[in-house]
Structure formats: structure tokens, C-alpha cells
Amino acid sequence: MENIKIIDGKLDRLLLPLAPYYPLKFLTIKNTSLEEIPLEISHLSNLQELTVIETPIHKLPVGLLELTQLRRLNLDNNKLTSIIVTGKQIGRAHV
């Protein structure tokens, strides 16, 4: 499975595959109750697009810096107060 979309619902935790070989390329989380992205996001070495919109997420894990294939990062309408990786390269995407 290369594409996972989680839309409209109660989501307390996001369980991510532990192996870096999982072929997930696109992950969308929209309009959920998810409050944080787990550090294990860095295990998704094939991830090219991460969309996290309309959630109460207020911070991003440092593991985002390890996503070398990431091309697109969409963080619209969240509770983010700051992005700790501002101005740094994340994969080939620039925040």
C-alpha cells in the first residue's frame, strides 16, 4: 500500500510501520483529533508527501528531518505555534 488517507474521525494515536521498507509514499491525515505525529515517522523512508490538515497538532517531530524522499509537506489549519525545522531542508522539500 503506497497511499493512506485518514479523514474525519477520532484518532488518538497514529501507529506507523516499524520497518523502513514499508512502501508508503503518501500519508494524509485530515480533520481528526490526532494531537501529535509520532517520532516513528522517520521510519517511513519512502514517504514523498505528508498532508496533515485540520488537526489539533501543535508540534512536529524532529524525525521529519530524516525523510529524505519527502517532496511535499502540507500543514494547513493546524494548531502549530512554531515549526522547529524552519529554514532547514527536509528531504527535497523546503519548509
Side-chain angles (χ1 to χ4, degrees), residues 2-3 8-10 12 17 20 25 34 42 49 56 58 60 66-67 71 73 83 86 88:
E2 292 185 350
N3 188 0
D8 296 328
K10 183 167 173 45
D12 295 326
K25 292 183 179 180
L34 186 68
S42 64
E49 184 174 313
H58 59 276
L60 299 175
E66 297 176 30
L67 298 175
R71 304 290 186 269
L73 178 61
I83 300 175
T86 299
K88 294 197 177 187

Side-chain angles (χ1 to χ4, degrees), residues 14 16 27 29 34-44 47 50-52 55-68 70 73-75 78 80-86 88-91 95:
L14 181 61
L16 297 172
L27 176 58
I29 303 165
L34 186 68
E35 293 186 10
E36 69 179 58
I37 298 172
L39 294 173
E40 292 82 15
I41 189 86
S42 64
H43 294 274
L44 299 176
L47 194 65
L50 176 60
T51 300
V52 183
T55 71
I57 288 176
H58 59 276
K59 64 181 179 177
L60 299 175
V62 175
L64 284 178
L65 293 172
E66 297 176 30
L67 298 175
T68 59
L70 192 65
L73 178 61
N74 183 347
L75 301 169
N78 289 298
L80 291 170
T81 55
S82 66
I83 300 175
I84 59 168
V85 293
T86 299
K88 294 197 177 187
Q89 193 81 15
I90 299 178
V95 177

